[in-house]
Amino acid sequence: DALEPGTYYVEVGECGRDATVGAYKISVKATPAPLADAFEADDTRDKAQPIGVNAGPQAHSIHVASDVDWATFTLDATADVVIETRGASGDTRLWLYGSDPSVSPIDVPIEFDNNDGVDKFSVIVRAGDDALAAGTYYVKVDESGNNAIISSYTLSVTALQKGDVLVTQGKGLLSTAIRVGEARELDVAFADTFSHSAIYVGDGKVAEMLASGFTITSLEKRYAESKRVDILRDLDLGDRGAAVVDAAMEYAGTSYAFSQIAVFARATLYSGKPEKVVNSTAYKTYEKRDSGSQRMICSELVARAFADASLPIDVKLWPTLSLIENPTDDFSMDFTSPTMLALSPDLIRLNA
């Protein structure tokens, strides 16, 4: 019901037309309505606009409450795929349809999601036994109640390849504490910090370091246990993803480096005071038990797997840790953090 540009007239009268009104005020407040996005008109399946696989986020809007956005993409081979919407505010619904009636009716969605994405946005993860086969697919997005506008949101389609890096925001208090330290030391907004990382190894699975040690986890589980997942790809990965995965698998059986988390905590408490870190029990335990690849944290696994595959990731250490005298490559990998990976110039984000 937004008004088009133009001149309008307002008439005011006393309700019964039988009395006077001594004084009254009248005001007009205009809030600019969102513009239709560059892909309109895309309100029906036959008007679906192409979206590139692994082309990054595509900008859209729900410019009127009844707006529906359709997009289409094609896979050349079977792939683990993540389809996702994100935005500063809003609530989307997301449908995935096929185009091969021999597989499923084309008017019946393969999958639907409402609120499994970031905040009230949407994500569909098709991986492992549910990976998408080669073919053409359609995506439909609308506002959840068809009763509000979304001034802007992004849509992305990501086909994962071996060696992709996942950085995540966990749901627990420990994850929040890790992100607070990341925000403080790296001078980034809390919303853009991460508490965990993993390596995609293929077949719908990721390799990661958990409290229980080196673990292979399903992609669906990693998404289900995370508030947000960003998919990163090394700019030079090319066909070397398998080498990264092989390197990661060499660390199977490795235990978790709890002392390194304690060192990070110490650095958070005593920011800019490396002597307080080096002279702590946590740091001495780290030097004795956990330095190098004896034990590892999640982001260290990523750093070491890429280094072993001759693809070292350029990261900037926490400032307090970088002040420790003559940090070695081993030290830098030990104290690579999830947010450091997200900030690396060597890695690009693929999803919304």
Side-chain angles (χ1 to χ4, degrees):
D1 297 325
L3 297 180
E4 297 293 331
T7 301
Y8 294 85
Y9 297 87
V10 177
E11 178 184 0
V12 179
E14 194 278 328
C15 183
R17 304 287 184 176
D18 57 2
T20 61
V21 178
Y24 70 91
K25 293 181 179 179
I26 184 170
S27 64
V28 177
K29 181 180 179 181
T31 301
L35 298 175
D37 61 58
F39 301 96
E40 295 289 352
D42 58 353
D43 296 341
T44 59
R45 181 186 177 116
D46 63 327
K47 293 182 179 179
Q49 298 295 309
I51 182 169
V53 178
N54 296 335
Q58 190 179 82
H60 287 267
S61 68
I62 301 295
H63 63 286
V64 294
S66 60
D67 187 25
V68 178
D69 292 338
W70 282 82
T72 182
F73 66 92
T74 299
L75 296 175
D76 296 327
T78 299
D80 289 342
V81 175
V82 176
I83 306 161
E84 186 172 8
T85 61
R86 284 192 196 174
S89 63
D91 185 355
T92 61
R93 295 186 296 183
L94 179 65
W95 290 261
L96 171 66
Y97 295 87
S99 60
D100 185 350
S102 68
V103 176
S104 63
I106 62 173
D107 58 344
V108 176
I110 297 171
E111 192 159 340
F112 164 80
D113 183 72
N114 190 351
N115 291 328
D116 288 331
V118 178
D119 296 325
K120 292 186 177 181
F121 285 88
S122 312
V123 64
I124 289 174
V125 179
R126 300 288 300 189
D129 292 341
D130 294 324
L132 295 181
T136 298
Y137 295 88
Y138 293 84
V139 175
K140 173 185 171 184
V141 181
D142 75 357
E143 195 279 328
S144 184
N146 292 139
N147 58 4
I149 60 173
I150 301 176
S151 59
S152 66
Y153 75 90
T154 58
L155 173 67
S156 64
V157 178
T158 306
L160 284 87
Q161 80 175 64
K162 288 183 178 181
D164 282 346
V165 176
L166 278 63
V167 289
T168 76
Q169 295 176 350
K171 297 179 178 180
L173 291 177
L174 178 58
S175 296
T176 299
I178 291 171
R179 293 176 58 205
V180 167
E182 294 268 62
R184 182 179 302 174
E185 279 287 309
L186 296 174
D187 193 26
V188 297
F190 179 76
D192 295 322
T193 59
F194 299 90
S195 57
H196 185 64
S197 57
I199 300 173
Y200 174 73
V201 298
D203 299 324
K205 296 179 175 62
V206 298
E208 56 188 355
M209 293 298 302
L210 301 177
S212 56
F214 182 95
T215 305
I216 299 296
T217 305
S218 72
L219 191 63
E220 289 94 339
K221 182 178 180 182
R222 181 50 43 231
Y223 264 85
E225 294 180 355
S226 304
K227 293 169 61 177
R228 169 179 165 181
V229 179
D230 280 13
I231 303 169
L232 312 177
R233 182 167 296 167
D234 193 293
L235 291 166
D236 296 321
L237 187 63
D239 60 0
R240 290 192 279 178
V244 172
V245 171
D246 289 344
M249 296 304 293
E250 288 294 319
Y251 293 108
T254 302
S255 298
Y256 193 78
F258 290 99
S259 70
Q260 285 164 231
I261 299 300
V263 171
F264 274 121
R266 189 80 177 176
T268 301
L269 288 172
Y270 296 99
S271 181
K273 299 178 180 179
E275 70 282 358
K276 291 284 190 179
V277 177
V278 173
N279 294 326
S280 67
T281 300
Y283 192 83
K284 296 182 187 308
T285 302
Y286 153 71
E287 287 187 306
K288 182 178 179 180
R289 295 182 51 197
D290 295 348
S291 62
S293 59
Q294 300 177 77
R295 293 176 175 83
M296 289 192 284
I297 59 173
C298 60
S299 37
E300 180 185 356
L301 173 65
V302 176
R304 290 192 179 279
F306 274 79
D308 292 349
S310 299
L311 282 171
I313 299 173
D314 180 18
V315 294
K316 180 181 178 182
L317 279 172
W318 281 24
T320 300
L321 297 177
S322 70
L323 293 172
I324 293 175
E325 187 176 359
N326 298 322
T328 64
D329 288 343
D330 251 357
F331 182 89
S332 294
M333 287 189 286
D334 284 345
F335 291 100
T336 293
S337 70
T339 305
M340 286 163 56
L341 292 172
L343 295 173
S344 172
D346 292 336
L347 304 174
I348 58 169
R349 179 163 62 92
L350 298 177
N351 58 327

